[in-house]
Amino acid sequence: MEIKKGLLYTEDHEWVKVDGNVATVGLADYAQHNLGDIVYVELPEIDDEFSKGDAVASVESVKAASEVFTAASGKIVEVNEALDDEPALINEGPYDAWIFKIEMSDPSELDDLMDDEKYAEFAKED
């Protein structure tokens, strides 16, 4: 299982990369591995607004369907449209195949996320 350094992680096994007040969100390697072959990704709409903890997208695999949540409130500013045609990109490179970018209204909402070391411990126990 790969855990990329320099990212933040949620208890739902999503990774978050912060660039200013924009958070890029994707599925961690742990999540894509447990889901199996991903066959469909439902992306949010640009300009949709969400609150922290809201389900923003969904991912379907041969095993199960799973929701993707936002770790911070804000407005969707970009989605990874490549996933419409190739949802398996998440399996091939979970840290390259981001799902959405959200302009955060309150970046301090990310303060309770785990860094890579804490996430490694969390993922071992899960």
Side-chain angles (χ1 to χ4, degrees):
M1 175 181 61
E2 179 188 4
I3 297 174
K4 193 167 182 180
K5 294 192 180 299
L7 299 176
L8 298 173
Y9 294 88
T10 72
E11 290 183 357
D12 295 311
H13 303 286
E14 293 137 358
W15 58 263
V16 179
K17 179 181 178 187
V18 178
D19 184 12
N21 68 334
V22 174
T24 302
V25 179
L27 288 182
D29 190 38
Y30 179 96
Q32 73 79 23
H33 179 75
N34 284 328
L35 281 170
D37 293 335
I38 294 171
V39 295
Y40 178 73
V41 179
E42 182 180 342
L43 298 168
E45 296 291 323
I46 304 274
D47 292 332
D48 279 359
E49 296 192 19
F50 295 94
S51 296
K52 178 180 179 172
D54 284 353
V56 174
S58 62
V59 175
E60 294 179 21
S61 72
V62 294
K63 292 183 183 177
S66 181
E67 307 239 78
V68 180
F69 302 95
T70 181
S73 303
K75 179 174 73 172
I76 301 298
V77 293
E78 193 174 347
V79 297
N80 188 349
E81 294 179 3
L83 298 177
D84 280 337
D85 295 326
E86 292 185 79
L89 289 171
I90 293 173
N91 296 117
E92 295 166 13
Y95 298 108
D96 296 320
W98 55 276
I99 298 171
F100 64 89
K101 295 184 181 187
I102 188 165
E103 185 176 6
M104 298 178 287
S105 55
D106 183 4
S108 71
E109 290 179 325
L110 300 180
D111 289 350
D112 59 347
L113 297 186
M114 296 172 271
D115 63 16
D116 51 90
E117 290 178 11
K118 286 181 183 170
Y119 178 69
E121 290 299 314
F122 174 80
K124 276 185 201 172
E125 296 168 8
D126 197 22

